[in-house]
Amino acid sequence: MFNFLHRFDYNYDFLSKRKIAVAISAFLFVVSLLAIGFRGLNFGIDFTGGTLVEVGYTQAAELENIRTRLSSNGFSDATVQNFGSSTEVLIRLGIHEEYNNEQLSNRVLEILKDGGVEVQMRRVEFVGPQVGKELVEDGGLAVIYTLIGILIYVAFRFEYRFAVGAIIALVHDTVITVGLFAVTHMQFDLTVLAAVLAVIGYSLNDTIVVFDRVRDNFLKMRKQSVEEIVNRSINQMLGRSVMTSLTTLLVLIVLFLLGGELIHGFATALIVGIVVGTYSSIYIASVAALALGINRNDLLPPVKEGADQPPQREIDQP
Amino acid sequence: MNQYPLWKYLLIGSVIFICSLYALPNLFGEDPAVQISPPYARDVKIDDSVREMVAAKLTELNLEFKEIEMTPERLLVRFSNTDQQLLAYTELLKALPGYIVAQNLAPATPSWLIALGAKPMYLGLDLRGGVHFLMAVDMKSALVQDEERYINDFRNVLREQKIRYRGINRLPGESGGIRLSFSDAELREQARKFIAKDYSELMITEFDGTDDYQLHLQFTEKALEENRQQAVEQNITTLRNRVNELGVAEPIIQRQGTDRIVVQLPGVQDTARAKEILGATATLEFRLTEGDMQAWQEAQSSGRAPVNARLYQRRDGAPVLLKRSVIVTGDQINDAASTIDQRSGSPATVVRLDSKGANRMLETTRDNVGKPMAVVFIEYKTETSVVNGQEVKSRKKVEEVINVATIQEAFGRNFQITGLTSAEAHNLALLLRAGALKAPMEIIEERTIGPSLGQENINQGLISVMIAFLVVMFFMFLRYHIFGLIANVALMLNVVVLVALLSLLQATLTLPGIAGIVLTLGMAVDANVLIFERTREEIANGNSPQNSITSGFDRAFTTIFDSNLTTLIAALMLFSFGTGPIKGFAITLSLGIISSMFTAILVSRGIINYFYGNRRLQRLPV
């Protein structure tokens, strides 16, 4: 079972299967885009504005009863569901203009306490509509700025084709991760957005490690074709990719199982993102860089003039 | 080969020692405590007499306490359990009227650590329970108020300057502004010169009406910006005072962006009361009355008031005419308290003015003994009305005359207002003490976390970190054996360094922040994985063990640097745009990257050098 733990001399021919991989990726990518476009995301109140109330009961809560009470008091848009256990209830409401922001949550708690049952307030969140709008804008901008910053750094450290390859992989990972949320209609809230941005960081980390080895091998392996070099590099880094992804994934599974309800979306997004990110660092990033035509000459250190002379040491006179 | 010089070991050792020291406070937990602070706006400090009083009270109740700490700003009594804390809180609240008594969780850090400046991490509201409000300052109303103040000013100064004007009012329309009208161009020119000289914050445009000569005044962009700044700052000050009245331990009140204010009240459960006190925008104005009862009745039936007066409603709906010029406004009030009026035995509010207000009050009352003066209570309320099928929110200024009383004698700094119920007297005193909000505010975001949920979040977070830790260590050992164990030591130190950094920066730890730590744990081993994989490769290529260690570390370095720096870019972007939870996550992620670079590269190398360096090795345990 732990065979992989002791091997480190892999020799798979990854690139020969690249057509299949690209086809699968393209399919997932398009499905994700369509889902995001047509089905849309189930945005949490962080983005849409609205009110969320989480309460705890001493016994199992009667959801139907809560629904009726809320709708007879003018909250017909309330969604009422169990949250984590049968005694805990999560109520979500849209924007209610007829109440002052400060009164809305109080009102909901009053209605719940009306039945004379013991209700414990666990959490109230109210987000005004303008705050949500700003968040959508800021979040979108943050993603774009992050991509641009990374593009510049990678182009500077490697070469522009690598940078483009890395960005293609990043967009691929981000879209598929978000796409999953669109397909399953899991709630997309602030923590999920943070997770998506963390996926960008992680997936990039993976991609850079592979690229770094490709750059190394270009300088070392003078006789092989570009394709062979890329293949070799991926194989050399496979042990590391599997090991790091595995530890990170296990840690996230722990978070998913034990971190509580509030962290679920976050953990889910990262688990998906890391699986996709590891795969894309092998296939998408390198294949993209290959397709763009990376070659040895692009990465050779520029020959400096006068490099054949021994460097002149300058000695400062104190 | 593979030897670190002594100074490098010492450096690594001392960094770890210092970090351990600063991470230490987080292990001591918190004591339930009661915090007593002096009442706002009276220059009272906590002194020995208060301390003795508290100690006597607790002894009388047979309540054991751990210790009493005293600073001029606060007195802190620590207890060993929450039952004692609650009892002491209710009793001390009764025993110390006027003082602000609050329940608090005080870090139980030993004093020698505090002396070093070591403090535990600050727990976010989602981990300790409490309320978070984001408030938006309503700048439009603030501008209207400013313009009204200027109009008042001009009435007085133009009269003093002997410049006769025909009318002065706010310009209708969105952009606002003030309109002064004169009967001839000569007078207008005089006024223009005078205003241009003394009021550089106003832009003046001349405008010829059909039968008058007008000046239109607008605030310059710079003045508007200053007003905005001032409004937000004054509101923050006012909120601080009000929060003090609520008796909250360690509140956070900060500006966010141009016109937002964040208020965090740890441990507050009664959010309704908190919202009421924070959001109340009440202030007072003192004005002289105009005319007599008959004139008031006429004004009400005709709906028209004389030029220099305005029609107000009293509480019982009766009309009253008040002069347009204000004697004193709420922001000139220094202190207020509820009391019982000696003469009538009815509830009253005692008011103390600042020197400027006192002078005006003295002048006015001296000249007007025997005449009635009115107290106007002003409150802003949000109303929703439907306009063309669209719901429109508007702020409404509700003004009512709470009391009209005859000026018995000249008074200045101290006086009292009667004609209130006892609850009203109490609330009015509180609001006046806490100052007036310069501009109305609206709560645009609220997050309340109950205490039980906070405790749950902490427990779940800690368990996740522990288990994640064990899982990672187990796998590292499986794959890299002894070197894996060395990486595990580095990983443990990584957490120590991370916690120390978070404590030193006094960063707020939130649930997403804990998730960030867990994620960092998973990713932190990456540097060691890269190094060890490289070392194995070198061995497989037939290099000697010592050479393999060296090149494993050296050649993995650029990879680690590149890959971590890009992740750091992403984390910094997160930090720059994020608020609250996102920021918390970004902080732990970036610090985690930095500390893992240190531990994975330097510390693990140090350990390996110490045990394996400079020896003849047959094989490496990797």
Side-chain angles (χ1 to χ4, degrees), chain A residues 101 122 124-126 134 212, chain B residues 260 443 446-448 450 559:
Chain A
N101 306 341
R122 289 170 58 84
V124 173
E125 296 193 3
F126 159 81
E134 284 165 25
D212 182 76
Chain B
R260 303 270 169 92
I443 295 176
E446 174 206 345
R447 292 175 199 276
T448 308
T559 317

Side-chain angles (χ1 to χ4, degrees), chain A residues 4-5 46 97 101-102 105 122 124-126 128 134 153 157 197 204-205 212-213 240 244 251, chain B residues 260 275 384 391 393 443-444 446-448 450 453 456 479 518 526 534 537 559 562-563 566 574:
Chain A
F4 83 92
L5 285 172
D46 291 320
E97 289 282 359
N101 306 341
E102 40 264 46
S105 50
R122 289 170 58 84
V124 173
E125 296 193 3
F126 159 81
E134 284 165 25
Y153 179 74
R157 286 286 298 172
L197 288 158
L204 190 75
N205 192 328
D212 182 76
R213 188 45 76 94
R240 173 265 161 195
T244 300
V251 158
Chain B
R260 303 270 169 92
K275 282 187 258 192
T384 311
E391 281 184 340
K393 269 195 171 180
I443 295 176
I444 54 171
E446 174 206 345
R447 292 175 199 276
T448 308
L453 186 65
E456 258 170 59
R479 186 161 167 93
V518 174
D526 186 44
R534 193 86 204 203
E537 252 183 87
T559 317
D562 271 342
S563 62
T566 41
L574 263 182

Side-chain angles (χ1 to χ4, degrees), chain A residues 81-290:
Chain A
Q81 62 194 94
N82 279 113
F83 191 70
S85 75
S86 65
T87 55
E88 274 143 45
V89 177
L90 189 74
I91 299 156
R92 281 176 65 190
L93 300 162
I95 305 272
H96 277 263
E97 289 282 359
E98 71 268 26
Y99 285 100
N100 272 0
N101 306 341
E102 40 264 46
Q103 296 162 355
L104 185 62
S105 50
N106 302 356
R107 183 79 195 101
V108 172
L109 283 171
E110 269 168 38
I111 294 168
L112 294 179
K113 283 178 178 154
D114 255 0
V117 276
E118 203 177 309
V119 188
Q120 186 203 29
M121 192 280 298
R122 289 170 58 84
R123 177 164 61 116
V124 173
E125 296 193 3
F126 159 81
V127 178
Q130 67 272 54
V131 178
K133 265 195 214 112
E134 284 165 25
L135 187 67
V136 173
E137 282 168 20
D138 289 351
L141 279 179
V143 174
I144 289 165
Y145 283 143
T146 309
L147 292 180
I148 291 173
I150 285 161
L151 189 74
I152 292 170
Y153 179 74
V154 178
F156 169 76
R157 286 286 298 172
F158 291 80
E159 203 249 343
Y160 82 94
R161 294 191 183 98
F162 282 105
V164 174
I167 296 288
I168 290 173
L170 283 189
V171 172
H172 164 271
D173 300 345
T174 318
V175 168
I176 291 179
T177 308
V178 175
L180 178 90
F181 277 78
V183 171
T184 58
H185 246 219
M186 276 185 287
Q187 202 182 107
F188 193 94
D189 58 17
L190 204 58
T191 56
V192 176
L193 180 70
V196 168
L197 288 158
V199 165
I200 291 180
Y202 183 90
S203 138
L204 190 75
N205 192 328
D206 249 16
T207 305
I208 296 291
V209 167
V210 173
F211 279 179
D212 182 76
R213 188 45 76 94
V214 171
R215 181 174 56 180
D216 235 21
N217 286 338
F218 264 133
L219 303 179
K220 269 202 278 187
M221 304 159 72
R222 297 285 163 142
K223 292 199 173 57
Q224 287 87 336
S225 70
V226 173
E227 206 165 309
E228 280 170 333
I229 289 174
V230 173
N231 229 343
R232 187 82 211 104
S233 308
I234 297 172
N235 273 303
Q236 284 171 333
M237 296 325 284
L238 195 62
R240 173 265 161 195
S241 294
V242 171
M243 185 69 196
T244 300
S245 303
L246 190 85
T247 53
T248 312
L249 271 181
L250 284 168
V251 158
L252 286 166
I253 290 167
V254 169
L255 255 187
F256 181 86
L257 296 174
L258 304 172
E261 286 289 338
L262 294 178
I263 292 291
H264 260 207
F266 174 87
T268 312
L270 265 165
I271 288 171
V272 175
I274 280 166
V275 172
V276 177
T278 306
Y279 151 87
S280 80
S281 71
I282 292 172
Y283 273 109
I284 305 306
S286 357
V287 169
L290 257 182

